[in-house]
Amino acid sequence: MKKKLVSCILVVCMLLTMLPTMAWAEETNTLYIDEGSIVIEDGLWTQTTENGVATGTDIDVTIAQKNAETPTTNTITVESGNPIITLSGVNISASAEAFTLKSGTATLVLSGDNTLIGAGNKAAVKIKSNATLSIDGDGSLTAQGGKYAAGIGSSYNDGSDGGNLIIEGGTINVTGSESAAAIGSGKYALFGDITINGGNITVTSDFAGICTATDKTGGGNITINGGDVNVTLKKCSPDESWGKFAAIGGGSGSWDKFFEAAET
């Protein structure tokens, strides 16, 4: 009898020690990316850590990093739904895409300084077809894709092509790679509509700055309604049949100013 009583007391004590952590996580809705990759799907987030799998029912979360000076290889994936995700000082250098939106309509709110880097032929921020990503906030985002991949948009030879991007605010610095746009389409891939309504956007690319079809026919429209957009290009040899390109400060499909940068 005494052994059973002691066992029950120990179990209760263990549960009580867990309660403050559980309550804190529920109250703040803050997840730390350096503890494990995060998947968000239809009202549920899941994070796989070295201690197991944690889940929650609130998909409007803040994702931070305890040690942002050291890049993590953990990733963020939105499978579906309409989450609002605040990035608060994350530094991801992934072995694939750092952030992937597979379907639905997601919003990234930028807080603090954030860095997302894709590896190999992968985009840093990948938006698949039938998905729309909005970016807003008063923080910053630095995004760089791997070879032949966009910084924000589609990866190399992406069979699903890309979805749509809306930039409402934030300071966004995007670097493109060989044969890919910095924002928009990767090599042998298309991207959907790109709309810029605000923000401070700096684009640097070896090939195309903002483009929905770098080497394929098709792609969505590019519309710049506001914001401060600066593009620096290198090694560009455009062919208008490849797709629609945005002029700096101009509207959809304009070519006149986009290729002012000298070839290096």
Side-chain angles (χ1 to χ4, degrees), residues 45 47 52 80 85 91 100 112 114 121 130-131 134 138 165 177 183 198 204 215 222 224 239 241 244 253 256 258 263:
W45 61 260
Q47 184 175 32
S80 58
I85 303 167
N91 183 5
T100 303
N114 303 277
N121 303 131
N130 300 318
S134 296
D138 55 11
L165 173 67
S177 65
I183 299 177
T204 304
D215 54 5
I222 299 168
I224 300 177
D239 178 342
S241 67
K244 302 179 180 72
D256 295 340
F258 193 77
E263 185 175 277

Side-chain angles (χ1 to χ4, degrees), residues 145-194:
K147 188 176 182 180
Y148 304 143
I152 301 175
S154 54
S155 295
Y156 166 72
N157 199 20
D158 203 336
S160 67
D161 290 320
N164 306 304
L165 173 67
I166 302 170
I167 299 177
E168 299 285 358
T171 298
I172 301 172
N173 301 291
V174 188
T175 301
S177 65
E178 182 181 344
S179 299
I183 299 177
S185 57
K187 183 177 176 65
Y188 301 142
L190 297 175
F191 194 71
D193 294 337
I194 299 171

